[in-house]
Structure formats: structure tokens, C-alpha cells
Amino acid sequence: METELSWLLLLLLPLSIGCIKLLAAAATALNWVWVNFFRPAKDLTKYGSWALVTGPTEGIGKAFAFRLAEKGLNLVLVGRNPEKLRGVSDWIRAEFGRTQIQTVVVDFAGDLDDGVRRIRAAIEGLDVGVLINNVGVCYPYPRFFHEVDEKLLAELIRVNVEGTTKVTHAVLPGMLRRKTGAVVNIGSGIALIYPSAPLHAVYAATKEYINQFTKSLNVEYKEFGIDVQCQVPLNVASNMTWMSKKSILKPSADVYARAGLRWIGYNETCCPYWPHQLELAFMHCWPDSFVDARRFKSMLEYRKKAQLIIKIHKKIKINRDVDR
């Protein structure tokens, strides 16, 4: 009898383990559905009545500015082009007449210290509860590290690293005094999801800095009521990338921003757009060496196409100059 019972237990053990794993997988799937489609977004006005957005005249930054205004926040828009800032401000005011908007002209690749002083002056007395650190520069097209010129190298570090760091340093004290706030740093899948970033080495490194900067600040300031988050988009159809054609895996900036707002205040690091999460899960099924090889090949193809387009444009320009 004892022998039969032992055999029965041995047979039931794998079945029990399988059932437990199945239940765990089902719970994970249900939680994913809840988080992405049913979890309520936080009331961002509880952080404060103002939001500051850097790089708000194009792409994701512009979309965030519009959607934050839709949620009832007033805006401090920080960018380098005064005409574009005026255009975005007029567009938002036309849609949401109640929205107060201040603009600050800052060239993040220029005199950043002077720009940050102007930001500090602009937000004096304002309860800036949400900061969207969106400003950033990328390679014009994929290129080897030795092909990155000194100007681009300086801009990548100055805008992506110093810009985010110094703007956060300017805005954070006000949040600390009020013991509430949300800082959202826009990272990149090229640095945080792919195992490596061939032909985008410096850009990827600056975005990895953003990730570690975010994690550290979130630990430092969580107990003071400040949520610090790094959002990690994959391909978004915008002027900053070659991905200009929209698709389910390449959403418009507005589609991404809608998803991004729903995640503010929850996870320290997140990939807000749910198809990107599925893409990420699929990529993790493959060895890093395979993903690296495929990505390196695709970047080489992009580089070749870009160089051809540049060559054609130069030839057209020369011909036009000759005709004159």
C-alpha cells in the first residue's frame, strides 16, 4: 500500500507543478491585461497644476504637451525655436482655452547654464507637478563610432545627458517642498531593450545614463512623494527617426503619448505602448548574439540607403548651383 501511495505521489507531483505554473502564467496574463487596458490613469493634476515639457515642438514632446493640456494642466514649454513654440502654444490654446502656457527658449546644445537659469525664473512660484524630460538628439542616420564628428558627439552628450540632468535639478526642489511630483524621462528601446546598439553607440550610451539616473532618483525621492520614471519607447513614427511610416509597431507620437500618460506614477521603468511590450517579449526569445547580428545588418542597410540619399541631394544641389 505504501509503495502504491509513493508511486501515486510521484505521478501527481509533475502534474501539480504544471498546474501551478499554468496558474502563474494565467495570473501574469490577466495582470498584463489589467495594467494595459483597465488600470485607471492617475489624476496628474494632484501632482500640481503645471507641467513642464522639454522638446515640445515635434513628435512625442508635442503630443505629450497636447495631452497634458487635455488633462487640465497648465504648461511650461521649453524648446529652442521661438516660432515653433508659439505655434504649439496657439494650437493648444485654440483647443483648450483654459490652459495657461509659458514658453522658455533654450538651445540645449548651446549655453545650457543660461537656459536653465531662465527655466528657474519661469517656474518661480508655479507648482510644477509633472516634468517630461523629452528633449534629445539622435544620429541623423546610423554610423560607426569613428564617423561621429565632434559637433554631433558634443550635442549627444550635452542635450541627452546634461539637458535632462540640469532641468531635473532645476525643477525637483519645488516638488520636494510640496512633497509631490512626477518626473518622466524619455529613454529609448535602442539602449534598454536591445542587447546592444551597433552604429548608435553614443546615443544608446546617453539613454542608458537616463535609465540609471531615473532608477537612482526614484529610490532617493520616493519617500518624499515624488515618482521618477523612465519610459522606454521602441519605434515611434517621428522626425527623429527613420521610422516615419506608422504601423501597429510604429505608432504615431500621439498614440504613444496617450499610452505614456496612463503609466505616469506607476512603474520606475516601463514600456507604455502594449504592442512594444509584445515585441520586447518576442525579442527576448532569441539569443543576444542573434539579435545583435540581425540589428547590425539592418543598421548597415539603413546607413547605406542614407548615404545614397545624401549623395543624390548633394548632386542635385551642385547642378542647381551650376544652373544659376
Side-chain angles (χ1 to χ4, degrees), residues 36 54 57-58 71 97 106 112 129 160-161 221 235 263 276 281 292:
N36 283 283
T54 64
T57 59
E58 300 285 350
K71 296 295 183 182
V106 176
L112 186 55
N160 295 0
V161 175
Y221 293 100
N235 294 325
W263 282 77
H276 284 172
D292 282 343

Side-chain angles (χ1 to χ4, degrees), residues 106-146:
V106 176
D107 182 358
F108 284 86
D111 189 347
L112 186 55
D113 290 337
D114 179 63
V116 171
R117 281 193 291 270
R118 279 183 274 119
I119 291 173
R120 290 182 190 275
I123 64 175
E124 183 69 32
L126 303 181
D127 58 333
V128 178
V130 178
L131 167 61
I132 308 292
N133 276 315
N134 166 76
V135 70
V137 295
C138 188
Y139 291 18
Y141 63 88
R143 58 184 66 180
F144 287 93
F145 175 63
H146 72 272

Side-chain angles (χ1 to χ4, degrees), residues 53-273:
V53 184
T54 64
T57 59
E58 300 285 350
I60 291 174
K62 184 177 181 179
F64 262 118
F66 184 90
R67 293 303 162 193
L68 287 165
E70 185 180 47
K71 296 295 183 182
L73 280 88
N74 301 311
L75 300 173
V76 179
L77 304 180
V78 182
R80 66 178 179 177
N81 188 315
E83 292 184 5
K84 287 186 176 181
L85 284 172
R86 192 178 308 114
V88 172
S89 300
D90 292 344
W91 174 55
I92 292 174
R93 288 192 184 101
E95 290 288 332
F96 311 105
R98 66 185 183 280
T99 305
Q100 299 179 58
I101 301 176
Q102 291 197 28
T103 61
V104 185
V105 178
V106 176
D107 182 358
F108 284 86
D111 189 347
L112 186 55
D113 290 337
D114 179 63
V116 171
R117 281 193 291 270
R118 279 183 274 119
I119 291 173
R120 290 182 190 275
I123 64 175
E124 183 69 32
L126 303 181
D127 58 333
V128 178
V130 178
L131 167 61
I132 308 292
N133 276 315
N134 166 76
V135 70
V137 295
C138 188
Y139 291 18
Y141 63 88
R143 58 184 66 180
F144 287 93
F145 175 63
H146 72 272
E147 297 173 333
V148 180
D149 59 71
E150 293 289 336
K151 182 175 181 294
L152 177 57
L153 185 63
E155 286 185 359
L156 285 162
I157 296 171
R158 193 161 182 77
V159 177
N160 295 0
V161 175
E162 288 190 52
T164 294
T165 304
K166 290 185 176 181
V167 171
T168 303
H169 195 257
V171 176
L172 197 61
M175 295 180 174
L176 192 57
R177 285 194 298 271
R178 297 188 304 274
K179 297 192 183 306
T180 186
V183 177
V184 179
N185 298 322
I186 304 300
S188 172
I190 200 172
L192 308 180
I193 293 174
Y194 297 112
S196 70
L199 276 64
H200 282 94
V202 181
Y203 173 74
T206 63
K207 290 301 183 178
E208 180 56 38
Y209 168 87
I210 296 301
N211 181 44
Q212 188 57 240
F213 179 62
T214 300
K215 288 181 177 180
S216 301
L217 290 190
N218 191 55
V219 174
E220 288 182 39
Y221 293 100
K222 192 74 174 178
E223 64 180 87
F224 298 104
I226 300 171
D227 299 315
V228 187
Q229 179 185 78
C230 181
Q231 291 197 4
V232 186
L234 271 67
N235 294 325
V236 175
S238 71
N239 293 335
M240 189 175 179
T241 71
W242 287 77
M243 308 298 176
S244 58
K245 187 176 181 180
K246 294 186 286 290
S247 69
I248 185 66
L249 292 178
K250 301 181 186 69
S252 67
D254 185 64
V255 169
Y256 175 82
R258 287 173 183 268
L261 285 185
R262 294 187 67 254
W263 282 77
I264 293 178
Y266 284 107
N267 301 64
E268 172 190 278
T269 304
C270 63
C271 186
Y273 181 58

